[in-house]
């Protein structure tokens, strides 16, 4: 099935916790290891496409076993993500996205930049630190991927 770039950018994969069985062999060097990935997600909100830099942080954890991979994914619960989910509005300035189509409404609102925590993920002090340029990182529980808060 062919997918275009727009359908990939606007995907909302949702949070998951699933074991994917392998029909082949997992390399022994990977068994017992983990791979973490962070990036922007949920770029289509209320019919408005946001810039990829402004997508909510979405962390994936891949834990390798002999017979497959445990995949877990969670959104990083930053204040802008929580407000967006509770109000149904895109309400913070982004790097490449303005919250409103009205120039005057954007100009007159406070310049609260989004901390999407969507560019890096680093294991540190038994936590995952998820970063974004210009803001402090957010810590996640390394096992559950639940958001702890600014770190």
């Amino acid at each position: 099935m062919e997918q275009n770039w727009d359908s990939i950018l606007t995907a909302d994969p949702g949070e998951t916790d699933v074991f994917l069985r392998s029909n082949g062999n997992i390399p022994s060097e990977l068994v017992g290891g983990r791979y973490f990935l962070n990036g922007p997600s949920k770029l289509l909100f209320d019919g408005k496409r946001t810039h990829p830099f402004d997508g909510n942080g979405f962390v994936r954890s891949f834990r390798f076993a002999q017979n497959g991979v445990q995949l877990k994914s969670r959104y990083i619960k930053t204040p802008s993500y929580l407000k967006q989910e509770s109000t149904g509005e895109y309400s913070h300035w982004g790097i490449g996205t303005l919250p409103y189509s009205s120039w005057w409404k954007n100009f007159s609102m406070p310049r609260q930049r989004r901390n999407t925590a969507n560019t890096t993920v680093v294991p540190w002090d038994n936590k995952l630190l998820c970063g974004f340029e210009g803001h402090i990182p957010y810590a996640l529980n390394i096992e559950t991927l639940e958001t702890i808060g600014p770190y």
Side-chain angles (χ1 to χ4, degrees):
M1 178 166 91
E2 184 179 324
Q3 289 196 339
N4 65 35
W5 183 245
D6 192 55
S7 67
I8 293 168
L9 284 179
T10 57
D12 180 8
E15 296 184 343
T16 54
D17 193 353
V18 63
F19 187 80
L20 305 169
R21 294 213 178 276
S22 171
N23 292 331
N25 296 328
I26 303 289
S28 61
E29 296 84 7
L30 292 178
V31 173
R34 291 178 75 180
Y35 175 66
F36 297 104
L37 180 65
N38 186 10
S41 187
K42 207 168 195 175
L43 299 176
L44 185 65
F45 187 76
D46 196 26
K48 181 180 180 180
R49 185 180 316 117
T50 60
H51 191 282
F53 292 164
D54 298 326
N56 296 296
F58 188 66
V59 173
R60 278 86 65 200
S61 167
F62 301 86
R63 185 186 302 259
F64 297 94
Q66 288 182 335
N67 60 343
V69 178
Q70 180 72 37
L71 167 63
K72 188 177 290 205
S73 61
R74 298 283 183 269
Y75 284 102
I76 301 168
K77 310 300 192 294
T78 62
S80 62
Y81 171 85
L82 293 172
K83 185 172 183 181
Q84 181 177 308
E85 292 298 300
S86 68
T87 65
E89 295 181 357
Y90 184 90
S91 58
H92 289 71
W93 279 60
I95 291 176
T97 309
L98 295 174
Y100 304 105
S101 57
S102 162
W103 177 87
W104 180 249
K105 198 168 184 179
N106 286 315
F107 179 75
S108 61
M109 72 177 291
R111 305 270 192 302
Q112 285 183 294
R113 295 243 182 234
R114 294 168 60 92
N115 179 353
T116 56
N118 70 6
T119 56
T120 61
V121 60
V122 177
W124 181 264
D125 194 25
N126 206 31
K127 297 172 184 66
L128 288 179
L129 299 185
C130 299
F132 180 72
E133 291 81 2
H135 287 281
I136 60 175
Y138 268 72
L140 276 62
N141 179 297
I142 201 164
E143 296 300 324
T144 66
L145 302 185
E146 295 303 319
T147 303
I148 296 169
Y151 190 79

